[in-house]
Amino acid sequence: MSETIRVLVVDDDFRVAGLHRGIADRPGFTVLDSAGSIAGARAAIRDHRPDLLLVDAYLPDGDGIDLVRSTDLDAIVLSAANDAATVRRALRAGALAYLVKPFESRALGDLLDRYARFRNLVGVEGAIGQEELDRALSILHGGEAPSLSRSATEQLILEALDGEGASAAEVAERSGVSRATAQRHLAALASRGIIDVRLRYGSTGRPEHRYLRR
């Protein structure tokens, strides 16, 4: 993923929060200072607008699951609560996943990597096809991703990429498709490791995504 994912850890145990922050400190992610309460989490969300919350279910001043329900942010619940009712409640509240404490560091690391790939597929502008949606959800939940044959459109997109790479707008112009369609297919190709995504800063200082064939 070309843009870093901003992560906020919400846990009242500073040692546990530190462990989770350490796991989330990986390529493609930016870890914010952790919050130890609902109030602290709301202040951090207001001030820093994270992309992903890693939330304990039980916090000193309230319910972490209610926090997930009340925000318009992606969230993963990390909790010692292993009863089915709490897990179902977290998923109904909008949590993308649930890890029961204690868990191995690799479990959270793998989940974060899958989440990044999931965002790469569903974070594009415009519509998303059912095939790509099925693939994104399968990746997020650790299943076998449905195989995707290379479509005629994908082939056009690949042929539009020269040795120096190209932006989504350039690919769209060269291949004769809309920019949204080009972005969708470029994201899918990147998630499958067929192309690379890099940032290039122009004269205005704003980064531009450049796509290159491997």
Side-chain angles (χ1 to χ4, degrees):
M1 190 155 179
S2 55
E3 294 182 353
T4 61
I5 299 168
R6 295 165 60 81
V7 181
L8 174 65
V9 175
V10 185
D11 198 301
D12 62 318
D13 187 325
F14 73 93
R15 288 164 297 191
V16 172
L19 289 172
H20 295 168
R21 291 181 74 247
I23 297 168
D25 186 12
R26 57 204 304 109
F29 292 82
T30 297
V31 184
L32 305 173
D33 290 339
S34 58
S37 65
I38 297 289
R42 292 195 187 283
I45 291 169
R46 181 188 64 242
D47 295 340
H48 304 294
R49 195 60 184 175
D51 301 300
L52 176 66
L53 306 179
L54 302 181
V55 188
D56 192 1
Y58 301 117
L59 295 160
D61 57 345
D63 183 4
I65 294 176
D66 285 343
L67 174 68
V68 171
R69 182 181 292 107
S70 66
T71 65
D72 186 27
L73 298 172
D74 291 345
I76 296 170
V77 173
L78 313 175
S79 175
N82 61 359
D83 59 288
T86 299
V87 174
R88 290 198 306 272
R89 189 164 65 87
L91 296 177
R92 286 197 303 268
L96 294 175
Y98 192 110
L99 285 181
V100 177
K101 298 176 182 176
F103 49 79
E104 294 185 2
S105 298
R106 185 176 61 182
L108 178 56
D110 289 347
L111 178 54
L112 290 171
D113 289 342
R114 295 200 307 271
Y115 170 75
R117 295 174 62 198
F118 166 80
R119 272 180 64 98
N120 197 42
L121 286 174
V122 302
V124 296
E125 297 177 2
I128 182 171
Q130 186 64 53
E131 192 175 40
E132 289 141 326
L133 177 58
D134 290 344
R135 178 178 176 81
L137 291 172
S138 181
I139 287 170
L140 177 64
H141 297 298
E144 289 297 323
S147 61
L148 293 178
S149 58
R150 187 169 299 169
S151 66
T153 303
E154 280 191 353
Q155 190 59 44
L156 283 173
I157 297 246
L158 285 171
E159 291 172 357
L161 295 173
D162 57 27
E164 297 182 356
S167 67
E170 291 168 338
V171 169
E173 182 178 357
R174 294 172 188 175
S175 57
V177 301
S178 70
R179 189 174 185 275
T181 297
Q183 280 187 312
R184 187 166 63 248
H185 284 283
L186 287 165
L189 289 164
S191 74
R192 288 149 59 191
I194 297 172
I195 63 175
D196 288 326
V197 187
R198 299 178 185 172
L199 287 179
R200 187 177 72 178
Y201 289 84
S203 58
T204 62
R206 297 185 62 183
E208 178 186 58
H209 296 177
R210 303 290 294 181
Y211 301 89
L212 300 91
R213 293 189 70 161
R214 287 189 171 179

